[in-house]
Amino acid sequence: MVRILSDHAAGMITLLSRNSGASTGIAIPTPSKSKKTTKKSIDKPVFFLIFIQFCYKVFLRILRMTRKKLKHFADMKEWSNVLEPALGGAELEEAVNRKGSWGDRVVLELGCGRGDYSLALAENFHDASVVGIDIKGARMWHGANAAKEMGLENVFFLRARIEDLADYFEEGEVDEIWVTFPDPHPRKGKAKKRLTSPRFLGIYKYLLKNGGIVHFKTDDLTLFDYSVETALA
């Protein structure tokens, strides 16, 4: 007969064999339980070095973007197809002096962004002065640069707030206004910022000639319903 005795404290298993009253014992060591392995934590100096490298890369990227943006701003100051009254000073004076002399047919695109739509309008309406309007000059550079490359001389870009357009255009000077996919400002608290709110419609009415047109495009149903409601009010 064989009996097994386990001694956990000693880490041994003893086999006892009993034959004809005699007993022998064999001690077998048991493998000790290994401690659970844990992931090595990154040393603080190594982590700090990784963090510094990341910050440096971000800094270089921001620096490149800033230099590029400054170069674009410098370009626009030299281009005759860009006016930036939002900057004040001589730029403001030049835009104000342009008032009433934009041409026989004037077409505006509000919130023109990179100017793609303004360029398309200029290509289609050769007899019109097309003016893309936006407050963000960094985006506007792309449209102004493309116009120069395409040889379009009837498209201009005005860096200004839409609320101030009466400072740069005479009453009844504009033939058409294009409002293409504007920010819907879905929250009710920002309804006044919608480009089809009553205060903006009043500006359009002032700028447009008799029989002038506002072209409005949106893919936001809520903004569309709101715009119809305000236009009919």
Side-chain angles (χ1 to χ4, degrees), residues 93-137:
E93 185 178 353
E94 184 180 358
V96 171
N97 291 338
R98 193 72 181 265
K99 185 175 182 177
S101 60
W102 286 96
D104 294 331
R105 185 183 179 193
V106 181
V107 178
L108 308 183
E109 187 204 355
L110 308 185
C112 68
R114 295 170 68 96
D116 295 333
Y117 220 93
S118 296
L119 295 172
L121 290 171
E123 284 186 299
N124 284 278
F125 303 145
H126 297 288
D127 62 332
S129 293
V130 178
V131 186
I133 298 162
D134 206 301
I135 192 60
K136 295 184 178 179

Side-chain angles (χ1 to χ4, degrees), residues 205-221:
K205 184 178 180 180
Y206 173 85
L207 297 175
L208 286 169
K209 296 176 180 177
N210 289 331
I213 302 172
V214 174
H215 302 272
F216 172 64
K217 292 188 176 187
T218 183
D219 54 4
D220 187 282
L221 184 58

Side-chain angles (χ1 to χ4, degrees), residues 181-192:
F181 303 101
D183 187 337
H185 292 291
R187 293 197 302 179
K188 289 185 178 180
K190 291 192 173 183
K192 290 183 178 179

